[in-house]
Amino acid sequence: QHKFWDEQPVPKIYEENEESGAIEEKTLDQVRKDPLALPDAFEWYDIDVNSDEDMSNVYTLLEQNYVEDDDAMFRFAYPIPFLRWALTPPGWRRDWHIAVRVKANKSLVAFISGVPVEVRVDQKKIVKMAEINFLCVHKKLREKRLAPKLIAEVTRRVNLTDVWQAVYTAGVLVPKPVSKTRYWHRNLNPPKLIDIGFSSIPRTYAKFRDPLDMTIKYYKLPEKPLTVGFRKMTKKDVPAVQKLLNDYLRRFKVHPEFTQDDFKHWFLTRDDVIHSFVVQDPETKRITDFVSFYSLPSSVIGHQKHKLLKAAYLYFYFANSTPLVQLIDDLLISAKALDFDVLNCLDIMDNAQFIEKCKFGPGDGNLYYYLYNYKIPDLKPEQIGLTML
Ligand code: NHW
Ligand code: EN5
């Protein structure tokens, strides 16, 4: 039933694991030195992230062919600066940015990417992995087994660097998830979200004289953050926040470890890409809390008035002093001030503590977490300490 996945070092769907660890151990001499064969009309091409032309081609492929919701109303539209950020953390490699082109006219028809990440699983020692993302096959070339080719080729190239594990997330169920998580959404712009069909007027308001007005009032937020000492994170905060974030993440069963360079890359604010905030105690001057979100718009498919949904996604955080509900409220206020329509999160980490209190509602999408070549007993969403892009 899974022609490809049944042959890969991943657990079977029904398999229950009691221990964690690698599924297979291989050595470099067992890895093919030449690329996998593609159908004759196609060729491999490594994307040059520094080329505007290459990046614009990746952008267009994804904008027109990447992930949609179940009703095909919205499609992720990762902007070019976001893609550059996502593809170039410390240690990135051009040969992990893999495209397939039509030989005849060089047009891009498929893509998959890997970037390096250090992940700790089940409180054991840190494992070097590839974080796999942006797997995409053009709509006109679907169900021709091109995806397994892309996956096998990225696996080969990752293996050639002596890396044997990977982490990835997907909305679909394949063998075999570490965890099944759910999306939650916090409405920041009720008129627009209702207009585009992202949300509807709560049933309980339908009987009132002005249901939209009731909805707007329900979701209303203060103009400015409420926590004393809440501000944008700066370069100077990096050493302290990097350490405190790693300390916080250690309580989870799957989490990344960030070097100082990793932390700078992933969290220093880049306009329209990543926004990070801290709380600094006015007395001690110490950083007590940290919270971040990334900006990922979606195309609104076939809408006359609105072309783009401006969505913010909760990224990493820790709350050592400020109540988590208050920290997230300040994040919502900041996202609203930056003109986002919605703030999304998953039910991972400590998110259950604030989800309902901060007026998030359940989405219709799931997100499965996966490890390649690593088995582990099933995890609850709250044991996951990793957010992907
Ligand atoms: S999840 C987003 C994936 N992309 C999309 O959903 C975009 C829209 N869809 C498409 O472009 C984030 C196509 O439908 C795709 C499939 C390309 C998805 N994960 O070519 P065929 C990521 O990027 C399996 C894993 O005929 P297609 C994470 C499927 O089960 N497997 O299908 C990516 C079947 O195998 P089976 C997936 O529709 C992680 C086979 O592909 C999958 O034309 C990748 C069918 O292929 C998915 N999302 O193209 C794994 N979707 O065994 C990384 C389908 O069931 C592993 N399939 O017959 C680690 C690698 C590195 C290891 C290093 C040590
Ligand atoms: C790899 N890094 O399904 C990621 N999105 O809920 C790839 N639903 O936006 C895998 N269908 O529920 C990504 N509104 C997998 C996710 C794919 C995209 C997806 C879902 C997540 C989504 C929205 C729109 C639904 C439109 C109809 C949704 C309801 C929100 C409402 C807000 C107010 C309170 C109640 C809930």
Side-chain angles (χ1 to χ4, degrees), residues 61-62 65-67 109-112 134-138 142 150:
L61 174 73
L62 297 178
N65 302 280
Y66 199 52
V67 178
V109 292
F111 187 66
I112 192 167
F134 307 117
L135 166 61
C136 183
V137 168
H138 195 287
R142 294 277 169 89
L150 288 155

Side-chain angles (χ1 to χ4, degrees), residues 66-74 76 78 133 169-171 183-187 193 197-200 219 344 359-367 388-389:
Y66 199 52
V67 178
E68 301 175 2
D69 66 296
D70 283 346
D71 303 299
M73 295 169 69
F74 307 99
F76 289 143
Y78 289 88
N133 206 348
T169 56
Y183 279 97
W184 291 74
H185 309 279
R186 193 344 174 142
N187 196 339
L193 290 196
F198 188 92
S199 70
S200 42
Y219 286 116
N344 301 332
K359 302 185 176 173
F360 285 75
D364 64 354
N366 291 123
L367 189 68
M388 288 186 55
L389 304 175

Side-chain angles (χ1 to χ4, degrees), residues 223-338:
E223 297 277 309
K224 289 205 171 83
L226 303 177
T227 307
V228 176
F230 183 94
R231 59 166 174 80
K232 288 182 183 163
M233 187 178 80
T234 73
K235 257 190 162 156
K236 288 186 190 161
D237 300 317
V238 165
V241 183
Q242 177 242 353
K243 190 187 167 296
L244 290 168
L245 178 60
N246 281 334
D247 290 346
Y248 170 77
L249 289 175
R250 277 185 203 112
R251 71 179 83 198
F252 300 106
K253 288 215 157 164
V254 177
H255 70 84
E257 279 249 334
F258 297 110
T259 64
Q260 206 170 110
D261 283 342
D262 293 334
F263 184 87
K264 283 183 189 155
H265 177 85
W266 289 122
F267 297 105
L268 281 178
T269 294
R270 300 178 184 222
D271 288 338
D272 301 328
V273 177
I274 169 77
H275 295 268
S276 297
F277 304 87
V278 294
V279 180
Q280 180 172 33
D281 186 310
E283 249 90 79
T284 67
K285 305 286 181 224
R286 285 197 209 282
I287 304 298
T288 54
D289 316 273
F290 161 75
V291 64
S292 57
F293 68 79
Y294 61 82
S295 167
L296 166 51
S298 281
S299 304
V300 185
I301 300 168
H303 198 273
Q304 288 314 301
K305 184 159 126 215
H306 297 290
K307 295 281 164 246
L308 223 53
L309 166 68
K310 296 179 77 179
Y313 289 74
L314 179 62
Y315 201 36
F316 289 85
Y317 65 81
F318 59 81
N320 293 337
S321 160
T322 307
L324 190 52
V325 170
Q326 190 180 318
L327 189 69
I328 299 299
D329 274 336
D330 283 347
L331 191 72
L332 289 166
I333 293 163
S334 308
K336 173 76 188 161
L338 288 162

Side-chain angles (χ1 to χ4, degrees), residues 4-151:
F4 174 71
W5 283 112
D6 286 349
E7 304 304 316
Q8 298 300 309
V10 297
K12 304 290 173 249
I13 279 281
Y14 52 79
E15 193 172 326
E16 296 269 5
N17 292 294
E18 305 197 333
E19 301 272 281
S20 55
I23 294 172
E24 64 174 27
E25 304 273 357
K26 282 209 210 170
T27 48
L28 280 176
D29 52 276
Q30 293 169 284
V31 184
R32 280 181 57 153
K33 296 294 179 298
D34 50 330
L36 298 201
L38 281 174
D40 232 5
F42 304 107
E43 63 186 16
W44 297 110
Y45 174 70
D46 297 354
I47 294 295
D48 175 2
V49 288
N50 294 314
S51 151
D52 290 343
E53 192 192 347
D54 277 13
M55 291 308 285
S56 134
N57 290 333
V58 174
Y59 170 80
T60 303
L61 174 73
L62 297 178
E63 195 274 324
Q64 292 171 8
N65 302 280
Y66 199 52
V67 178
E68 301 175 2
D69 66 296
D70 283 346
D71 303 299
M73 295 169 69
F74 307 99
R75 185 165 55 240
F76 289 143
Y78 289 88
I80 290 173
F82 188 117
L83 292 169
R84 280 215 166 92
W85 172 66
L87 295 174
T88 59
W92 70 273
R93 305 173 53 104
R94 177 167 176 180
D95 63 350
W96 290 9
H97 301 158
I98 308 169
V100 173
R101 302 195 293 202
V102 177
K103 272 183 192 161
N105 59 12
K106 307 291 179 200
S107 67
L108 275 205
V109 292
F111 187 66
I112 192 167
S113 71
V115 293
V117 62
E118 300 202 336
V119 180
R120 210 157 69 109
V121 182
D122 208 11
Q123 260 76 46
K124 296 190 171 165
K125 70 175 199 290
I126 292 178
V127 182
K128 281 190 199 286
M129 298 196 189
E131 191 169 303
I132 305 297
N133 206 348
F134 307 117
L135 166 61
C136 183
V137 168
H138 195 287
K139 289 190 181 216
K140 294 213 160 126
L141 292 172
R142 294 277 169 89
E143 282 164 47
K144 297 180 189 301
R145 312 303 294 182
L146 205 50
K149 284 264 191 294
L150 288 155
I151 296 168

